[in-house]
Amino acid sequence: MKSMGAQEGLLRIGELSRRTGVKPDLLRAWERRYGLLEPQRTSGGFRLYPQAAVARVEAMRSHLAEGLSAAQAARMAAAAPAEPAMASIASLLEELRSALDGFDEPRAQSVLDRMLASFTLETVLSDAVIAYLHELGERWERGEASVAQEHFASSVIRGRLLGLARGWGAGSGPLALLACPPGEEHDLGLLTLGVVLHARGWRVAYLGPDTPMETLAQAAKNMRADWVVLAGLSTKRFRAVENEIADLSGEHRVALAGSGASADLAQKSGALFLPGGPVEEAKRLAGTIQPQRAH
Ligand code: B12
């Protein structure tokens, strides 16, 4: 390995970790055990990675998610071309951020098109859309994103999610009935969960923001929903309908999600708590009922 000073375009381990979501310890372990990465070194001994390392680490992650052993995953990731033909999800996310921050809707749509053409739906939703929204919320709280930027970005993404949702009521898979508690307007996570469930063969009936509990219970009964998912970001709004959630759980399988829900509330009302993000929880929910195979 060459010894050298820091160079433009090369990434330190912290930056590689931030872009890929893999902790530095694990990056070093993959390098040591499987030779996944071959960083250069600064004169001070710090590792420096080429941009292509991002794609290699992402490939490793996706092979691991497919169920390959770490050694197999590393072999496959390392065998891929060093310079990826397509941009990494992290660099596309940066482009999305800049388009949305700049109120450039056509550019944002085109970045989303490119993401969807290059990566799986679940990767785009978890590593770009939800990651972006989560980060936007944090920036907004720190006063680094204006209300206008937040409203603009939320509405572009909501529109796109609704586009992906088109036809999600079709098919013969298990039926998920999705709603937010009364008064709750935050539904982007719930929409994402629905899109992933549909991609996994489920049907979705979407009641969305601010759904009265009475009408939700009626709809669940009429449709014979396999799961009812209530999601929201406000604890207060969940608490206000605790008794109605318990009644609903007596009749149907009910799951509570989003930062307004809690294990405690779910336990008291006999519901399942979904603590994670929308994509991982959609996968978990999908695993609870197997769609019928066609004969
Ligand atoms: C976008 C946004 C809005 C949009 C919502 C658009 C929409 N259709 O959803 C609009 C502009 C409508 C809005 C309105 C309001 N908002 Co607002 N909003 C936000 C913002 C910036 C981002 C929220 C978001 O959608 N994030 C995307 C989700 C996916 O990410 P997340 O929130 O991190 O969620 C994680 C988990 O909770 C989980 N998750 C979330 N949803 C789901 C769903 C499922 C099914 C699953 C499995 C998991 C899951 O996954 C995520 C990643 O792990 C946050 C700021 C923040 N820090 O969160 C405020 C925030 C949520 N809003 C807030 C408030 C107060 C309001 C308003 C009252 C503001 C006002 N004064 O008018 C109104 C009214 C809301 C209402 N009645 O419900 C507060 C909520 C405080 C609270 N806990 O009660 C926040 C936290 C801002 C703040 N710090 O004050 N808001």
Side-chain angles (χ1 to χ4, degrees):
M1 265 178 233
K2 278 192 292 187
S3 170
M4 54 189 302
Q7 275 184 17
E8 218 172 301
L10 294 176
L11 309 172
R12 289 270 180 106
I13 195 161
E15 179 61 13
L16 181 62
S17 164
R18 196 181 67 75
R19 290 206 197 176
T20 58
V22 176
K23 295 216 170 88
D25 280 355
L26 190 54
L27 290 172
R28 282 190 286 265
W30 285 348
E31 174 189 327
R32 207 173 47 245
R33 293 188 199 141
Y34 312 114
L36 179 72
L37 301 162
E38 293 163 346
Q40 301 173 353
R41 299 274 183 164
T42 65
S43 41
F46 291 112
R47 290 169 166 82
L48 288 174
Y49 299 89
Q51 299 281 335
V54 175
R56 190 170 281 194
V57 173
E58 279 168 355
M60 175 80 181
R61 280 183 66 184
S62 88
H63 293 315
L64 286 172
E66 285 157 13
L68 295 190
S69 71
Q72 283 171 318
R75 252 195 314 278
M76 288 188 62
E83 284 299 328
M86 61 189 184
S88 72
I89 192 89
S91 66
L92 287 168
L93 175 57
E94 251 170 67
E95 254 194 81
L96 179 68
R97 188 182 301 124
S98 128
L100 289 171
D101 282 356
F103 301 102
D104 189 342
E105 189 265 346
R107 195 167 140 233
Q109 299 292 9
S110 124
V111 180
L112 286 163
D113 288 342
R114 278 156 57 206
M115 284 181 178
L116 287 163
S118 310
F119 298 93
T120 64
L121 175 68
E122 288 174 8
T123 300
V124 173
L125 291 176
S126 66
D127 295 8
V129 173
I130 292 295
Y132 171 78
L133 285 170
H134 187 78
E135 176 212 295
L136 175 71
E138 289 178 348
R139 282 199 290 150
W140 181 84
E141 276 190 49
R142 292 196 300 266
E144 290 165 15
S146 69
V147 174
Q149 282 170 324
E150 173 273 305
H151 273 44
F152 179 84
S154 303
S155 100
V156 169
I157 288 180
R158 191 164 192 277
R160 194 68 196 224
L161 287 169
L162 287 170
L164 291 168
R166 191 165 176 267
W168 62 2
S172 57
L175 176 67
L177 179 61
L178 310 184
C180 301
E184 175 69 64
E185 298 290 338
H186 301 95
D187 74 335
L188 295 166
L190 190 63
L191 276 171
T192 306
L193 175 106
V195 168
V196 176
L197 279 177
H198 182 57
R200 290 184 168 242
W202 283 47
R203 285 173 300 140
V204 174
Y206 194 71
L207 307 187
D210 188 15
T211 300
M213 292 303 290
E214 204 183 296
T215 202
L216 175 63
Q218 195 60 48
K221 190 172 167 200
N222 293 347
M223 293 178 197
R224 287 197 267 149
D226 293 290
W227 272 103
V228 179
V229 182
L230 262 182
L233 305 183
S234 154
T235 313
K236 190 181 74 189
R237 297 197 173 89
F238 269 107
R239 290 276 173 211
V241 292
E242 205 174 320
N243 293 339
E244 287 88 339
I245 298 175
D247 291 346
L248 194 64
S249 300
E251 304 287 326
H252 303 274
R253 275 181 279 214
V254 176
L256 308 182
S259 52
S262 63
D264 175 54
L265 175 71
Q267 204 211 347
K268 278 191 193 150
S269 53
L272 172 71
F273 177 47
L274 303 177
V279 176
E280 62 179 293
E281 294 299 354
K283 290 188 207 166
R284 180 145 80 104
L285 218 50
T288 63
I289 304 176
Q290 295 312 317
Q292 300 276 311
R293 284 184 180 282
H295 293 288

